[in-house]
Amino acid sequence: MRMVKTVLSGLAALAVSAGAPAADITYNFSTGAALDHGGTNDTNAATRAASQTIANSLASAFSSSTVSGSFVYDASSPLTNPGGALNGLADIYSGSSHSSFNALSGLVSGSSAGTFSFSDPRGFTLVGNDASPGACMPVPPATSCTPPLVDLFQFQAESTSASIGVHNIVPFTISVGGSNYTLFNARVFWQESLIAPIVPDFLTSNALLATPPSFSGRLSLDFVNAASPAGTQYFVFYDGTNVVAAVPEPQTGALLAAGMGLLGFIARRKKRPA
């Protein structure tokens, strides 16, 4: 009996170290090549064209590059900010001491501009069932229309303001057109879409999903001009972003298997006739 208790105690310790009973799960992600056009949050009619040109130049600098990395997702993280974003229709999960989205680490490789790394110890998850503005159909619409609201599930490293609050991201800076642009945020998101690639309605509430969506999403690397961090933001997009649970360390799996085998051996010995 003492041996059984010892083995069970060992297996319990291994399970905890492997993350079995814990809410935290490590995921790996990888993307397709960077899109050939970028995005911007500039809505000023007089300056938007110039901002879009900068966004496209940033995207060009990352041409042919892909991003890979990992993060930790805690599907049990409490809701901390109901109606926290997207016009009060989405919720934010960001625990005071331990958030839903942690330990982001990424590597940009394959671009002519070089290889870049970034990381962020703690972010948050935004969940919005019918909360994000979609697109009018057809695109562009023949007449003016109000875009429908669609589902959005997003892991976000930082707030959308580069100049407000405490930022933990470890960024990189890239020079384009004689100016320096610094990464201030990284987002992995899945959004319902009526245009190709079609993403169906995949949320029924604003609750956290047990696991990240299994279909491809999008990664956005968000930049600001290093000289004016409170200014216009520029986005470099990577589609074909896939997320998979990390495989446990081989030695951990082997130890667990050995422990289970030992328990089986003990059980068989106890069944033998005296």
Side-chain angles (χ1 to χ4, degrees), residues 3-240:
M3 181 179 291
V4 173
K5 288 182 178 179
T6 301
V7 174
L8 287 175
S9 297
L11 286 175
L14 280 171
V16 170
S17 67
D24 285 354
I25 297 179
T26 299
Y27 289 87
N28 296 326
F29 70 89
S30 60
T31 74
L35 299 189
D36 60 2
H37 57 282
T40 176
N41 71 337
D42 190 353
T43 58
N44 186 303
T47 59
R48 180 172 173 79
S51 295
Q52 186 60 55
T53 298
I54 294 173
N56 291 342
S57 295
L58 274 168
S60 179
F62 289 99
S63 176
S64 300
S65 71
T66 59
V67 184
S68 59
S70 64
F71 61 84
V72 171
Y73 177 48
D74 180 358
S76 67
S77 180
L79 171 66
T80 58
N81 196 351
L86 298 178
N87 301 318
L89 296 176
D91 291 340
I92 291 175
Y93 293 83
S94 177
S96 57
S97 60
H98 187 73
S99 188
S100 55
F101 180 55
N102 295 281
L104 171 66
S105 177
L107 181 70
V108 184
S109 57
S111 77
S112 58
T115 299
F116 307 93
S117 62
F118 60 92
S119 62
D120 198 297
R122 182 176 179 274
F124 60 89
T125 306
L126 188 149
V127 187
N129 177 43
D130 295 334
S132 178
C136 292
M137 296 296 291
V139 181
T143 59
S144 61
C145 82
T146 300
L149 294 175
V150 298
D151 293 348
L152 176 70
F153 187 89
Q154 178 166 273
F155 294 132
Q156 192 161 318
E158 299 284 351
S159 71
T160 54
S161 174
S163 60
I164 298 176
V166 177
H167 289 261
N168 297 312
I169 193 168
V170 179
F172 63 87
T173 298
I174 182 171
S175 180
V176 174
S179 297
N180 292 328
Y181 297 89
T182 298
L183 180 77
F184 82 91
N185 198 5
R187 298 173 288 130
V188 179
F189 61 94
W190 296 261
Q191 181 169 316
E192 178 186 354
S193 174
L194 300 177
I195 58 177
I198 294 176
V199 175
D201 187 328
F202 64 97
L203 295 177
T204 57
S205 72
N206 280 7
L208 274 178
L209 296 175
T211 62
S214 58
F215 52 88
S216 295
R218 169 175 282 187
L219 169 72
S220 178
L221 299 182
D222 302 347
F223 295 85
V224 289
N225 189 308
S228 54
T232 303
Q233 300 171 11
Y234 310 96
F235 316 129
V236 176
F237 299 124
Y238 295 81
D239 281 351

